[in-house]
């Protein structure tokens, strides 16, 4: 009889702990058993202990806003680290202090896999934190990343990780985002843009105002936008169920991402693909590897190109929009699912444990 693989997972966000599943929350935001989130898809029998970043508020605030390294999280687990077969850090902010200790003191620990979202310190190539990341990263056993362009950065700035890095496409729980009953939140036709940070609203708003504005534009997530245009509606953060209703009722969605060499925007993109939405997105590194007939791209920061693409999408008839949305939904299910991501990560874990 195979023994369970005991995994210690360090994450750089807060989760809620329950005795059973809370159906109103995504699995990444709750822990109710020893599998947690995408580990439920693993074929191997695993037991996962999840440690989030919570600490004294002022300490956590300082770690998050200034250090961008979670020190207290690592200190909380050091005395029991040998109880596990493998450690996984989701985000280098939750990994670097542990790897610093491993590298500095040659401390023996289980193998450490890092899922890098931010290209260490937001793909920087100078500064104290960057140098610290370089030093600490030499003890990483495997580096997983979700944006192909990150690989070039790692090869240039962290060449010792060249044989230890592995690209795995990010995936979402397509069932959570598609197998629900949705409500049409309004009768008028509209298009939607979702996001609260790292969005190029300036280019989007200028392009939209130059377009023929066939549909109203609803911007969800950033209440600080101040726009005097009756065809543009700004909404703050809203509950997930209401957000789904807005996405469901939209003619199509726009994702105006800024260009950075780290992983972001992919979750928003795939959630909307899972819901069967046609998406117009900027052509930037974080989403360049996601390909589908129902994805349309414009040149980042190019108002004229975005205006042109908006007008082209306005003119597509309803049947074609529905067809392209279904293509996106199927693509998410077969190529960009949480299950596929999990099974690829499981193979990586097994390979690391066999070394």
């Amino acid at each position: 009889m195979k023994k369970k693989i005991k995994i210690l997972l360090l994450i750089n966000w807060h989760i809620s702990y329950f005795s059973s599943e809370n159906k109103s929350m995504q699995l990444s935001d709750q822990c109710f058993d020893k599998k947690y989130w995408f580990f439920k898809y693993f074929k191997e029998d695993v037991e996962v202990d999840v440690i989030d970043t919570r600490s004294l508020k002022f300490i956590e605030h300082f770690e998050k806003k200034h250090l961008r390294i979670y020190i207290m999280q690592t200190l909380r687990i050091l005395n029991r680290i040998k109880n596990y077969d493998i450690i996984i850090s989701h985000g280098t902010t939750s990994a670097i202090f542990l790897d610093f200790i491993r590298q500095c003191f040659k401390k023996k620990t289980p193998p450490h896999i890092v899922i890098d979202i931010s290209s260490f310190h937001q793909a920087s190539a100078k500064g104290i934190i960057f140098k610290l990341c370089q030093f600490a990263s030499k003890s990483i056993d495997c580096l997983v990343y979700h944006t192909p362009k990150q690989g070039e950065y790692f090869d240039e700035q962290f060449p010792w990780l060249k044989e230890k890095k592995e690209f795995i496409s990010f995936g979402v729980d397509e069932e959570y985002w598609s197998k629900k009953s949705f409500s049409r939140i309004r009768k008028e036709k509209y298009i939607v843009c979702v996001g609260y940070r790292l969005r190029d609203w300036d280019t989007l708003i200028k392009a939209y105002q130059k377009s023929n504005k066939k549909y109203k534009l609803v911007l969800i997530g950033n209440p600080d936008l101040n726009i005097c245009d009756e065809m543009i509606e700004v909404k703050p953060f809203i509950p997930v169920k209401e957000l789904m209703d807005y996405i469901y009722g939209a003619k199509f969605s726009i994702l105006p991402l800024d260009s950075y060499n780290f992983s972001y925007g992919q979750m928003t993109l795939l959630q909307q693909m899972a819901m069967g939405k046609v998406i117009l997105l900027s052509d930037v590194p974080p989403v360049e590897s996601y390909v589908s007939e129902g994805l349309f791209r414009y040149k980042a920061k190019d108002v004229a190109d975005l205006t042109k693409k908006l007008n082209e999408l306005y003119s597509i008839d309803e049947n074609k929009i529905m067809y392209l949305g279904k293509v996106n939904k199927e693509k998410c299910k077969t190529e960009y699912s949480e299950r596929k991501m999990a099974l690829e990560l499981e193979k990586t874990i097994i390979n690391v444990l066999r070394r």
Side-chain angles (χ1 to χ4, degrees):
M1 182 176 173
K2 282 186 178 181
K3 73 166 189 172
K4 285 184 179 180
I5 299 173
K6 292 186 177 180
I7 299 172
L8 176 63
L9 177 66
L10 307 179
I11 58 174
N12 60 3
W13 64 90
H14 283 191
I15 60 170
S16 299
Y17 295 85
F18 301 104
S19 58
S20 59
E21 183 178 356
N22 183 332
K23 295 290 187 180
S24 67
M25 297 177 67
Q26 295 184 77
L27 290 178
S28 57
D29 295 327
Q30 59 174 306
C31 187
F32 59 90
D33 62 18
K34 288 290 187 177
K35 282 209 168 180
Y36 180 67
W37 194 9
F38 53 76
F39 293 97
K40 69 178 183 178
Y41 302 107
F42 278 25
K43 295 175 181 178
E44 296 286 335
D45 193 7
V46 298
E47 183 176 296
V48 184
D49 282 340
V50 187
I51 307 296
D52 66 14
T53 58
R54 68 189 70 218
S55 178
L56 293 174
K57 282 188 177 179
F58 75 93
I59 293 177
E60 188 178 352
H61 176 80
F62 179 74
E63 290 177 330
K64 182 177 181 178
K65 298 294 183 182
H66 302 287
L67 278 183
R68 290 192 58 79
I69 296 173
Y70 291 108
I71 293 174
M72 294 304 296
Q73 183 183 35
T74 297
L75 294 179
R76 284 163 58 195
I77 53 89
L78 273 181
N79 65 339
R80 54 192 172 106
I81 211 166
K82 290 184 179 179
N83 297 333
Y84 300 94
D85 297 305
I86 197 160
I87 308 163
I88 301 174
S89 292
H90 198 289
T92 48
T93 50
S94 289
I96 286 303
F97 189 58
L98 174 59
D99 284 318
F100 174 79
I101 292 173
R102 295 173 81 213
Q103 181 68 9
C104 197
F105 301 104
K106 303 302 178 184
K107 183 177 175 63
K108 276 200 166 186
T109 73
H112 189 199
I113 295 176
V114 178
I115 301 174
D116 186 308
I117 308 301
S118 60
S119 296
F120 286 97
H121 196 58
Q122 296 189 332
S124 63
K126 59 183 179 180
I128 294 174
I129 299 297
F130 168 68
K131 293 294 184 183
L132 173 64
C133 289
Q134 283 190 314
F135 173 78
S137 68
K138 291 177 181 178
S139 74
I140 292 174
D141 294 285
C142 180
L143 185 74
V144 174
Y145 58 103
H146 297 313
T147 297
K149 197 80 174 174
Q150 287 179 280
E152 298 175 18
Y153 168 75
F154 298 140
D155 287 348
E156 183 178 344
Q157 303 297 342
F158 300 81
W160 47 88
L161 292 174
K162 196 163 190 174
E163 302 303 319
K164 295 181 178 181
K165 72 181 194 303
E166 184 169 346
F167 170 75
I168 297 177
S169 282
F170 182 74
V172 295
D173 184 350
E174 80 283 356
E175 290 189 3
Y176 180 89
W177 286 91
S178 63
K179 292 189 175 180
K180 282 183 168 36
S181 58
F182 303 112
S183 305
R184 288 216 171 266
I185 210 150
R186 53 178 63 188
K187 291 182 179 179
E188 64 180 326
K189 290 185 177 181
Y190 62 93
I191 55 179
V192 69
C193 171
V194 176
Y196 71 98
R197 60 190 286 268
L198 301 179
R199 302 292 191 264
D200 182 12
W201 286 290
D202 185 57
T203 298
L204 171 58
I205 291 163
K206 286 178 180 176
Y208 174 76
Q209 290 177 327
K210 287 176 179 289
S211 76
N212 64 37
K213 296 202 283 191
K214 185 175 181 180
Y215 307 111
K216 190 168 190 173
L217 172 61
V218 180
L219 304 173
I220 301 174
N222 184 359
D224 297 327
L225 292 172
N226 188 14
I227 305 162
C228 296
D229 189 324
E230 62 181 14
M231 288 293 287
I232 300 177
E233 180 180 343
V234 177
K235 298 189 73 64
F237 252 1
I238 56 178
V240 172
K241 177 60 173 73
E242 187 180 355
L243 174 63
M244 287 178 162
D245 288 339
Y246 266 101
I247 296 170
Y248 171 74
K251 173 83 172 179
F252 60 86
S253 176
I254 309 166
L255 191 54
L257 299 175
D258 281 320
S259 184
Y260 295 103
N261 190 15
F262 50 82
S263 296
Y264 85 104
Q266 298 157 344
M267 183 179 290
T268 304
L269 170 66
L270 297 179
Q271 287 167 350
Q272 295 179 21
M273 286 179 68
M275 290 186 67
K277 286 291 109 179
V278 168
I279 303 162
L280 175 57
L281 66 158
S282 49
D283 194 6
V284 293
V287 291
E288 66 183 4
S289 64
Y290 297 91
V291 180
S292 177
E293 191 181 351
L295 298 180
F296 296 81
R297 300 175 194 269
Y298 69 91
K299 297 174 187 174
K301 300 288 184 185
D302 191 323
V303 173
D305 192 45
L306 178 51
T307 302
K308 177 185 174 186
K309 298 294 169 53
L310 280 168
N311 285 332
E312 289 175 356
L313 277 176
Y314 292 152
S315 66
I316 298 179
D317 67 63
E318 194 65 36
N319 288 334
K320 184 66 179 291
I321 285 286
M322 288 181 67
Y323 163 75
L324 292 172
K326 287 178 181 177
V327 170
N328 279 352
K329 187 172 183 176
E330 185 61 24
K331 193 82 171 184
C332 189
K333 183 178 180 180
T334 57
E335 296 294 324
Y336 310 128
S337 71
E338 193 171 79
R339 177 186 293 276
K340 188 170 186 289
M341 175 184 71
L343 293 177
E344 289 183 17
L345 180 60
E346 183 180 25
K347 288 179 185 176
T348 298
I349 291 170
I350 299 302
N351 288 336
V352 170
L353 287 172
R354 285 174 177 166
R355 287 176 190 170

